Amino acid sequence: MQKDEFNTKIGAIAAAAGSAVGLGNIWRFPYVLGENGGAAFLLVYIGFTLLIAMPVLLTELSIGRMAGTSVIAAYKKLAPRRKWYLIGVGGVICAFFILSFYNIVSGWTLLYAYKSLVGDLQGLSEAEITASFEATSGNTLVCFGWMLAVIAITVFIIAHGVKKGIERYSIVLMPLLLVLIIVICVFSLSLDGAERGLEFMLRPDFSKLTPKAVFAALGQSFFSMSIGMGCMTTYGAYIKKKQNLSKSAISVALIDFFVSFTAGLMIFPCAFAFGINPGSGPGLVFVTLPNIFNQMVMGRVFSILFFALLVIAALTSSISLYEVLTSFFKDHFSISRKRASVFVALATIVTGALCAFSATAFNFFDNFTANVLMPLGALFILLFVPCCLGKEKIRAELEAHGKPMRWFGLYYFLVKFIIPALILLIFVNSIMSWLGINWL
Ligand code: PHE
């Protein structure tokens, strides 16, 4: 990826949004919200997005733009002779763990696009749709095979330099996915019994707000915005100095939130209308949506389009994860980008196989990355600002476009004190509740 080609061909913001919007919004957000009680979780999630995730995103973009390099090199450049580059190493490990289960879910999505195409899901009852997903996700060979197909497509895209092409198309295709979600949403809301889904998502019941739910909301806000592991630092390096970073961070966060929110509005009314348990876990999207498609006019066309576009959304996110990994291997072992991407693919096949084989491994990678590695990564990224950069340097970067940042005081206060304290508090609280100690 060369700096200038990125600048002229596609806005860095669109690329950052492409990384942020993915399975995290449409597959993960609804299932985590469903498992954690609905509306109360949503409120906390919104709070964390505004108060924690957005400032972290802004910080990552600034550090990336300041250094102008990918993540490990960025910390080495900004803090030579110190160990801060370990943030980048943590990011590489995190990207690798995420890809391990992400590729499996992308594989399911590709399989569902195929199933829709050949009409495999047509006319099935709710019970049959659920059974069909269980058979798919419980079959190691099927999961592994479709994961291999997804990895092959990704490596093809990266190795043949069509990545730029994909990014260019995604500028058109991602808004199309959003339009499709909105159409499905309208249909879902018109189903009998949809109100109960709406109520689940929008009327908070605070008794459901357990420490685990708060912890999950924090993790989801990090996962969804691709922060805390260096991805966004890399994108920051491609943003021009004259661009207003705060505006960029707000746009990415808003787009990301909007997609998740509408995905929820699409899933829950439908889940309740068809009597599907909203807490049924990672299969939620795959067991609810085929029911709507079976009732919609031209449902099969909608189904093919939806899953195919979701594969593309997943690809733009996983390509950004590959980017973190390939640039690490390329620089660290002085090998070509092609070799590095093949090496990364082989490594993710091994850990992906583990996730295909065991649901426990899948859940571990899913929860450990979002809930532990990413918030911890963010904690160190934030500490880097007062410890290494200092107030004036970060201010200069945030105001490099030539206008003072009105909210700088608040931003700096959040970054220096509030967010690190909140992350630690949420961690301690969940450890305590896990140990059965009620201390708050
Ligand atoms: N944010 C992406 C999604 O929502 C996942 C992702 C996480 C991508 C971390 C890159 C880095 O699907």
Side-chain angles (χ1 to χ4, degrees):
M1 179 157 53
Q2 273 163 23
K3 231 177 143 165
D4 46 357
E5 80 189 10
F6 208 84
N7 270 339
T8 51
K9 292 278 171 12
I10 176 186
I13 303 310
S19 164
V21 174
L23 294 170
N25 307 66
I26 294 153
W27 158 73
R28 199 175 191 278
F29 175 77
Y31 106 68
V32 177
L33 184 126
E35 275 183 342
N36 288 287
F41 172 93
L42 178 64
L43 280 183
V44 176
Y45 175 77
I46 294 174
F48 286 167
T49 299
L50 292 173
L51 198 72
I52 300 184
M54 218 150 68
V56 172
L57 173 62
L58 185 55
T59 309
E60 276 200 48
L61 293 176
S62 319
I63 292 175
R65 190 170 75 172
M66 199 183 288
T69 59
S70 67
V71 56
I72 295 185
Y75 289 100
K76 282 194 171 155
K77 185 170 169 187
L78 296 174
R81 294 193 303 276
R82 304 205 26 207
K83 294 268 183 264
W84 290 96
Y85 70 90
L86 289 176
I87 295 177
V89 177
V92 168
I93 295 171
C94 185
F96 180 56
F97 282 4
I98 294 178
L99 271 177
S100 311
F101 71 90
Y102 207 87
N103 282 333
I104 299 278
V105 185
S106 304
W108 292 344
T109 315
L110 189 61
L111 170 61
Y112 270 62
Y114 169 77
K115 280 189 181 205
S116 318
L117 188 71
V118 295
D120 256 11
L121 298 166
Q122 262 190 324
L124 298 187
S125 66
E126 292 119 61
E128 284 166 336
I129 286 172
T130 304
S132 152
F133 177 75
E134 277 163 8
T136 301
S137 61
N139 187 328
T140 306
L141 227 59
V142 170
C143 289
F144 186 70
W146 286 91
M147 176 198 77
L148 280 187
V150 164
I151 294 179
I153 296 173
T154 318
V155 172
F156 179 87
I157 293 172
I158 294 173
H160 287 76
V162 265
K163 203 171 118 254
K164 268 187 296 161
I166 288 288
E167 277 160 353
R168 208 169 329 143
Y169 285 124
S170 67
I171 278 204
V172 183
L173 294 177
M174 289 307 99
L176 188 64
L177 173 63
L178 189 60
V179 171
L180 207 65
I181 294 176
I182 293 172
V183 173
I184 302 170
C185 208
V186 171
F187 193 84
S188 176
L189 286 166
S190 72
L191 292 168
D192 260 357
E195 336 66 68
R196 279 183 300 131
L198 211 54
E199 195 171 310
F200 176 79
M201 203 179 142
L202 300 178
R203 181 172 298 163
D205 171 358
F206 288 102
S207 67
K208 292 192 178 141
L209 205 59
T210 57
K212 181 182 151 274
V214 175
F215 193 49
L218 183 74
Q220 177 59 25
S221 69
F222 281 92
F223 186 84
S224 192
M225 277 213 238
S226 312
I227 53 177
M229 41 78 65
C231 230
M232 289 298 180
T233 313
T234 313
Y235 282 119
Y238 300 108
I239 299 181
K240 290 177 184 162
K241 286 283 182 197
K242 65 172 194 278
Q243 202 158 326
N244 183 338
L245 274 187
S246 324
K247 271 197 186 149
S248 314
I250 294 173
S251 322
V252 173
L254 281 182
I255 295 171
D256 189 66
F257 174 76
F258 188 68
V259 177
S260 293
F261 186 74
T262 33
L265 285 181
M266 161 178 87
I267 302 274
F268 291 106
C270 162
F272 278 81
F274 288 100
I276 296 161
N277 173 10
S280 55
L284 190 63
V285 177
F286 300 97
V287 298
T288 45
L289 290 190
N291 290 304
I292 308 195
F293 295 135
N294 273 339
Q295 290 208 353
M296 280 172 91
V297 191
M298 299 209 312
R300 188 158 159 198
V301 176
F302 272 103
S303 182
I304 300 169
L305 260 178
F306 174 82
F307 286 115
L309 289 172
L310 188 53
V311 170
I312 294 171
L315 281 177
T316 57
S317 297
S318 42
I319 287 172
S320 75
L321 289 158
Y322 266 89
E323 190 64 39
V324 172
L325 292 166
T326 39
S327 52
F328 169 74
F329 285 109
K330 188 176 130 282
D331 296 345
H332 205 76
F333 299 105
S334 307
I335 51 176
S336 72
R337 176 166 290 272
K338 250 189 194 166
R339 272 207 174 166
S341 59
V342 171
F343 183 75
V344 171
L346 291 177
T348 48
I349 288 174
V350 176
T351 44
L354 202 67
C355 292
F357 179 69
S358 142
T360 316
F362 179 101
N363 291 331
F364 169 77
F365 282 120
D366 182 1
N367 293 321
F368 186 65
T369 48
N371 298 348
V372 180
L373 287 183
M374 298 174 98
L376 275 186
L379 190 63
F380 287 104
I381 291 170
L382 295 178
L383 288 177
F384 181 75
V385 176
C387 294
C388 274
L389 293 178
K391 195 169 177 175
E392 288 320 309
K393 254 194 178 164
I394 194 94
R395 185 205 286 271
E397 191 56 47
L398 289 167
E399 295 179 346
H401 59 291
K403 288 204 189 98
M405 180 181 169
R406 243 188 298 160
W407 302 99
F408 181 78
L410 175 66
Y411 159 80
Y412 198 71
F413 182 66
L414 285 174
V415 163
K416 192 170 176 186
F417 301 109
I418 305 295
I419 306 177
L422 270 177
I423 294 179
L424 281 178
L425 186 73
I426 295 165
F427 261 87
V428 173
N429 191 32
S430 18
I431 293 172
M432 290 297 204
S433 91
W434 189 59
L435 294 173
I437 305 169
N438 222 339
W439 70 304
L440 272 185

